[in-house]
Every structure is written in C-alpha cells, then in structure tokens.
Amino acid sequence: MLNTIKNQSMKRRTIIKSISSLGLALLLSAQGYAQSADSKGFKPLFDGKTLAGWKSAGGAAPYTVEDGAIVGRMTKGTPNSFLITEKEFGDFILELDIKLEGDKTNSGIQTRSHIDPNANNGKGRVYGRQIEIDPSARAWAGGVYDEGRRGWIYPLDLNEPSKSAYKKDEFNHIRIEAIGNELRSWVNGVPAAYVVDTVDASGFIGLQVHSIPAELDGKKVYFKNIKIKTEYLKPSPYPKGQYIVNLTPNSLSPTEQKNGTTLLFNGKNSDGWRSVKGESFPEKGWAIKDGIIKVQKSDGGESTNGGDIITKDKYSVFDLSFEFKLTPGANSGVKYFVTLAEKTSGSAIGLEYQILDDAKHPDAKLGRDGNRTIASLYDLITSDKGRGATRPIGEWNRGRVVVDKDNQVTYYLNGVKVLSYVRGSKEFKDLVAISKYKDWDKFGEASEGHILLQDHGDEVSFRSIKINKTK
C-alpha cells in the first residue's frame, strides 16, 4: 500500500513537472511570437555602407559613413543641417541608435517632415515634428519639438521620470511610433512623449546636426541600426495615466478617455458652466463660437460685464489643462478651489493661474518680484518662465494645473514646468500673509472648489478645457 501511494505521488509530481515545463515553453513561445511579431516587417533605412536613399537639406554640416554608422559633423557658421530620406512615409515604427559627443548641443530625428524651399536664402529649411535628442542638464531627450514651425510641443517636464533614460556619450536606442494622429517616443525602452496631432499625415524622416557655437566645430553625431516598418503596425503598451498633449481642439483621444479625462468645455455651448452670480450662464459678456469660449472686451474692469463663470461641479484632486489666447494688453485668469464663501465686490476669490500680457498690462509690474505675470500663482509665487515658454500675443498657449492628493500644486506653461508649491504648508501661509489675500481666513485651503474663468474686461479666448480627477 505504501509503495502504491509513493508511486502515485511520483506520478503526480511528474505530471505537475510536465505541465510546468509545458507552461514555461508556451510562455517562452508566446514571448518569442510577440518579439517576432514586433520585428516582422522592419526594413533597414541605412545599409551600413553608403548614404543611398538619403540626401542633405538645410545647412552644410557634412554626413559620412564610418564603421557602420552615419556620422554628422558639427560645423560652425551653418544653420541646422539634416540628412533626410528621399522617400516619404505615413504611418511607421522607426528604431535607431544615436550618440552625441559632449553635452553642449543637441540633435533630433525628424518625423513626417517637409522643406520650405524659399527659406534660408533659397537653400530651404526643414520643418516638422522632431524627436529631440538632448544630453544637456535639461534632459528633454525623447520630447517632441516642431522644428521650424510651432516650437516645443512636448517638453519632458511633462514626463519627468523619463528624463533619466538618456545616457551621455553612449549609443541610445530610440523608438518612434507614428500611427494615425498619434506620435509616441521611447528612449532606451522608457516611454517619453505622447502627442495627438492632425498636422502632417506623411513626410520624410531626417537626422539632425544642430547649429553650434564655434568651439564645438568638428564634434560628431552618430546614427546606426536605422530600421523602419510600415506594415503590421500595432501600438506598443504605454503607461496608463501618462500625460498626453492633444493638439486637436476640444477633443479627447480614446486613450485620454480611457485614462479618465473629460472635457469641461465641449466647444459648442455652456453646458457645465454657470455665472458666479447665479445658476444660469451670463446673458452678456461671454461668447461661444467656432469652438471657443471668449470673454468679450468691456471696460477692462474686474467682473463688471458678464462676470466670472465657474464649473457647476467642484474638484479637489485633479489635472486641469486649458488653452488660452490673449489680445494686446489683456488680463484674465483661471482660478481653482473657488468656494464663493468669501465676500468681494470684484472677481470671486480663489487660487489663480495668471493670464496676462506682461509687456502691456500694468499688473505685471505690481505685486512682488513679478508674481502677477503670466503663469504665476497670482500675487503669491512668480512663474519661472525663463526658458521661452510663452507664445506671442495672439497665439494659443497651453496652461496646466496639477493638484495631487498631498496638496502639491504644479503649474505648466506650454509644457514647461514653471512653479510648484504645497497648499496649506508654512511656506504657503507665509506668502498669503503678505499678499492681497491676507484678510481671508485659510485662503486657498478649501478641500474642494469650482474652476473659474475670469472676466477682467479684456478679450481673452479659451478652448480645450479638460480635467482628470484620478491624479
């Protein structure tokens, strides 16, 4: 009997071992299939020996082939130079390895790009979305820059964990997926930027050598293992909740919706908004047309025409994004944690993301140390926008306010992080004590509040107002 039980036990172990081995084999097989599916359809864009299929554009920096790599030499006195594909591409997945000598300049990979033949004294200028390669302390490698056109679209302040992915003076593996209206990037396997943009359905791919100061003359940029596929395209997994820059006005991509983002302004009517003075939307002072909600110009006074408008809902932890466009000399603001409990004859009280023409509105010179300038926490903390974050008057700017569960608040202007503070902290209370808000008890410390768009009597436009409450 004992031998029988022992034999049965051995048989069970053998069966379990066989099943485990089969499971491991199936797992390895599945992984192998996934890797095979991902690699299927890739074709080399560079043969490792010649520049066949490529041509120069823009500046005069030379490109050669050395030891199986395309080498671009930084050249003083010439504008940005590019080696571009003779062929144009629509949807694709591109992979390559890139290395820069030193960290005093940058490079990039053009995607679906074009040439303006009349620019650069008739020599032409490349324009289009570029995946940035940035070895500097700024660490924006993998971000999206619109070369020769709209400037920064996705600075990596929007995805700070990815800043450590790039390795200086080493070959870095870059993956770019341009599928439909979505452009996404990876640096050494780390997700970097995520952009939704309807501009440029196709165009060439380009390798950049940036313009340089004279002391960098002769430094090199290396590109190798360049391959592309245009078939069997399947978007790779991306971290849930990563911030997406969607340049399509008043729209949400499927991924944004899946992540829990909703529109506060639908681009058509005032649904979800009301006056601070009552339950209905103002009958004057505001206009909704062509996907824009606009404060109409009156006398430049604070809340004297249509008055401020607020969301019907209240929010506590959130990621708020909005686009705004100023007219010359204009003043407005986006406020949050607005409770309407404070008595005031002007605009409703709340923490404010300042919106201002710094050059022409006198408020820019009031307050302390510029804490009433654009993208500042109004009258409390000055915006650090010294990196060219502001767009010219008359162009759309992208604002963002993030409030997390620990009351950490962060401001962005066009993707650049410009300030951060903690609501209710000693530092915050000390700033309130010397501000115009000192007379309101526990200013800015409410557990929840409305989002507000300010009527300051100047024409200011808003669109693409969206919020995510899952932060």
Short mmCIF file of all heavy atoms in Angstrom, two decimals, residues 25 47 99 135 137 143 171 174 200 205-206 212 225 262 288 338 377 419 428 457 461:
data_model
loop_
_atom_site.label_atom_id
_atom_site.label_comp_id
_atom_site.label_asym_id
_atom_site.label_seq_id
_atom_site.Cartn_x
_atom_site.Cartn_y
_atom_site.Cartn_z
N ALA A 25 7.27 26.56 -21.62
CA ALA A 25 7.50 26.51 -23.06
C ALA A 25 6.51 27.38 -23.81
O ALA A 25 6.86 28.09 -24.75
CB ALA A 25 7.42 25.05 -23.55
N ASP A 47 22.05 51.12 -45.15
CA ASP A 47 22.67 49.82 -45.47
C ASP A 47 23.98 49.58 -44.73
O ASP A 47 24.61 48.53 -44.88
CB ASP A 47 22.88 49.69 -46.97
CG ASP A 47 23.83 50.75 -47.55
OD1 ASP A 47 24.55 51.41 -46.76
OD2 ASP A 47 23.85 50.93 -48.78
N LYS A 99 24.23 58.61 -30.83
CA LYS A 99 25.20 59.05 -29.83
C LYS A 99 25.71 60.43 -30.20
O LYS A 99 26.03 60.69 -31.36
CB LYS A 99 26.37 58.07 -29.74
CG LYS A 99 27.41 58.47 -28.69
CD LYS A 99 28.50 57.42 -28.53
CE LYS A 99 29.45 57.38 -29.71
NZ LYS A 99 30.63 56.50 -29.46
N PRO A 135 21.31 65.81 -24.56
CA PRO A 135 22.19 65.32 -23.49
C PRO A 135 22.47 66.34 -22.39
O PRO A 135 23.19 66.04 -21.44
CB PRO A 135 23.48 65.00 -24.25
CG PRO A 135 23.49 66.00 -25.36
CD PRO A 135 22.06 66.22 -25.76
N ALA A 137 21.72 69.20 -19.23
CA ALA A 137 21.11 69.06 -17.91
C ALA A 137 19.59 69.19 -17.97
O ALA A 137 18.88 68.69 -17.10
CB ALA A 137 21.69 70.10 -16.96
N GLY A 143 11.56 64.14 -26.10
CA GLY A 143 10.47 65.10 -26.23
C GLY A 143 10.18 65.43 -27.68
O GLY A 143 10.93 65.04 -28.58
N PHE A 171 25.65 55.10 -27.07
CA PHE A 171 24.57 54.91 -28.02
C PHE A 171 23.27 54.69 -27.25
O PHE A 171 23.21 53.90 -26.32
CB PHE A 171 24.85 53.71 -28.94
CG PHE A 171 25.66 54.08 -30.15
CD1 PHE A 171 27.01 53.76 -30.23
CD2 PHE A 171 25.07 54.76 -31.22
CE1 PHE A 171 27.76 54.10 -31.35
CE2 PHE A 171 25.81 55.12 -32.34
CZ PHE A 171 27.16 54.78 -32.41
N ILE A 174 16.43 54.57 -29.68
CA ILE A 174 15.24 55.40 -29.82
C ILE A 174 14.18 54.63 -30.61
O ILE A 174 14.48 54.04 -31.65
CB ILE A 174 15.54 56.72 -30.55
CG1 ILE A 174 16.73 57.45 -29.91
CG2 ILE A 174 14.30 57.61 -30.59
CD1 ILE A 174 16.52 57.85 -28.47
N ASP A 200 0.29 66.97 -40.72
CA ASP A 200 1.30 66.13 -41.39
C ASP A 200 0.99 64.64 -41.29
O ASP A 200 1.44 63.94 -40.37
CB ASP A 200 2.71 66.37 -40.82
CG ASP A 200 3.18 67.80 -41.02
OD1 ASP A 200 2.76 68.41 -42.01
OD2 ASP A 200 3.96 68.29 -40.19
N ILE A 205 11.77 61.37 -43.17
CA ILE A 205 12.46 61.19 -41.90
C ILE A 205 13.83 61.84 -42.03
O ILE A 205 14.47 61.75 -43.09
CB ILE A 205 12.58 59.70 -41.55
CG1 ILE A 205 11.20 59.16 -41.19
CG2 ILE A 205 13.56 59.46 -40.40
CD1 ILE A 205 11.11 57.67 -41.15
N GLY A 206 14.29 62.52 -41.00
CA GLY A 206 15.56 63.22 -41.09
C GLY A 206 16.42 63.08 -39.85
O GLY A 206 15.91 62.90 -38.74
N ILE A 212 25.82 75.28 -34.17
CA ILE A 212 26.67 75.23 -32.97
C ILE A 212 27.48 76.49 -32.80
O ILE A 212 27.71 77.24 -33.76
CB ILE A 212 27.65 74.04 -33.06
CG1 ILE A 212 28.47 74.14 -34.35
CG2 ILE A 212 26.93 72.72 -32.97
CD1 ILE A 212 29.74 73.36 -34.35
N ASN A 225 22.00 51.41 -37.01
CA ASN A 225 20.91 50.45 -36.83
C ASN A 225 19.55 51.08 -37.09
O ASN A 225 18.60 50.91 -36.33
CB ASN A 225 20.94 49.84 -35.42
CG ASN A 225 22.24 49.12 -35.13
OD1 ASN A 225 22.84 48.52 -36.01
ND2 ASN A 225 22.68 49.18 -33.88
N THR A 262 -11.91 64.16 -18.98
CA THR A 262 -13.18 64.63 -19.53
C THR A 262 -13.06 66.09 -19.95
O THR A 262 -12.21 66.83 -19.43
CB THR A 262 -14.32 64.50 -18.50
OG1 THR A 262 -13.98 65.25 -17.32
CG2 THR A 262 -14.54 63.04 -18.12
N ILE A 288 -19.67 82.14 -27.27
CA ILE A 288 -19.24 80.80 -27.64
C ILE A 288 -19.45 80.63 -29.13
O ILE A 288 -20.58 80.67 -29.62
CB ILE A 288 -20.01 79.73 -26.85
CG1 ILE A 288 -19.75 79.87 -25.35
CG2 ILE A 288 -19.62 78.33 -27.33
CD1 ILE A 288 -20.56 78.94 -24.48
N VAL A 338 -12.40 77.55 -5.82
CA VAL A 338 -13.31 78.69 -5.63
C VAL A 338 -14.55 78.19 -4.89
O VAL A 338 -15.24 77.28 -5.36
CB VAL A 338 -13.70 79.30 -6.98
CG1 VAL A 338 -14.74 80.40 -6.79
CG2 VAL A 338 -12.46 79.86 -7.69
N LEU A 377 1.36 82.03 -9.79
CA LEU A 377 0.30 81.89 -8.80
C LEU A 377 0.03 83.31 -8.33
O LEU A 377 0.80 83.88 -7.56
CB LEU A 377 0.75 81.00 -7.64
CG LEU A 377 -0.20 80.90 -6.45
CD1 LEU A 377 -1.56 80.36 -6.87
CD2 LEU A 377 0.41 80.04 -5.34
N LEU A 419 6.26 76.46 -11.86
CA LEU A 419 6.28 76.64 -10.42
C LEU A 419 5.61 75.45 -9.74
O LEU A 419 4.85 74.71 -10.36
CB LEU A 419 5.61 77.95 -9.98
CG LEU A 419 4.11 78.14 -10.18
CD1 LEU A 419 3.30 77.55 -9.00
CD2 LEU A 419 3.77 79.61 -10.29
N PHE A 428 3.53 78.35 2.22
CA PHE A 428 2.36 78.90 1.55
C PHE A 428 1.67 79.93 2.43
O PHE A 428 1.33 81.05 1.99
CB PHE A 428 1.40 77.75 1.20
CG PHE A 428 0.08 78.21 0.65
CD1 PHE A 428 -0.04 78.61 -0.68
CD2 PHE A 428 -1.06 78.22 1.45
CE1 PHE A 428 -1.26 79.04 -1.19
CE2 PHE A 428 -2.28 78.64 0.95
CZ PHE A 428 -2.38 79.04 -0.38
N GLY A 457 -12.66 92.19 -18.15
CA GLY A 457 -12.98 93.27 -19.07
C GLY A 457 -12.15 93.31 -20.34
O GLY A 457 -12.29 94.22 -21.15
N SER A 461 -9.57 84.39 -25.05
CA SER A 461 -10.24 83.20 -25.55
C SER A 461 -9.74 81.93 -24.86
O SER A 461 -8.55 81.84 -24.52
CB SER A 461 -10.02 83.06 -27.07
OG SER A 461 -10.54 84.19 -27.76
#
